[in-house]
Amino acid sequence: MSETFRNIHVFLTGQEAGIAAGKAVEERLVALQRQRDVIRIIFAAAPSQDHLLAYLASSTRIQWEKIIAFSMDEYLELPDDAPQLFSRYLENNLFSKVALKEIHTIDTQRPVAEEITRFT
């Protein structure tokens, strides 16, 4: 159950908020997919995104094969196998669960200036 105050939605739980956000993102993606062959989207990585990403991963309406995914940011100087990596979080919570057209994450093993150029 939510209350609306000038486009501000208040939910009792993080799960309710995440599901509502997931539904809003799903609706927007479905609408965009009627207009475009490819959609680029940047995903945030944090526990606050758990319910949103779970909802999106379970969506049967989104045409994931038309989506190019990007990670928003990344920690520096962590080893490739560090569990704290945002790219690992996104892989575990979304990227491994849907068939995306492309996935672009930040490579923590490259020199920062080189990676900024590549990712740009």
Side-chain angles (χ1 to χ4, degrees):
M1 178 181 200
S2 71
E3 296 180 51
T4 303
F5 304 97
R6 295 187 180 156
N7 295 325
I8 297 172
H9 302 271
V10 179
F11 297 92
L12 296 176
T13 68
Q15 182 176 13
E16 288 178 359
I19 290 170
K23 288 178 181 179
V25 171
E26 177 186 54
E27 287 303 318
R28 185 67 180 137
L29 289 174
V30 168
L32 283 171
Q33 287 177 328
R34 288 189 208 109
Q35 304 166 15
R36 301 180 183 171
D37 291 333
V38 176
I39 298 167
R40 290 170 182 83
I41 184 169
I42 299 171
F43 290 97
S48 62
Q49 303 301 303
D50 286 354
H51 299 295
L52 164 78
L53 295 177
Y55 182 88
L56 292 177
S58 70
S59 173
T60 57
R61 298 178 59 215
I62 298 170
Q63 297 172 329
W64 291 105
E65 68 279 1
K66 293 183 174 185
I67 295 179
I68 298 173
F70 295 86
S71 60
M72 181 182 291
D73 51 8
E74 190 58 90
Y75 288 111
L76 294 176
E77 301 179 3
L78 287 178
D80 246 1
D81 60 348
Q84 300 90 347
L85 289 172
F86 294 147
S87 56
R88 182 164 317 285
Y89 171 87
L90 289 171
E91 177 66 26
N92 293 340
N93 289 280
L94 181 66
F95 296 167
S96 66
K97 297 177 181 186
V98 296
L100 291 154
K101 180 176 180 71
E102 296 176 21
I103 299 170
H104 299 278
T105 58
I106 298 168
D107 185 345
T108 61
Q109 301 308 302
R110 287 186 184 207
V112 173
E114 182 182 313
E115 184 58 4
I116 288 171
T117 300
R118 184 196 72 82
F119 201 68
T120 301

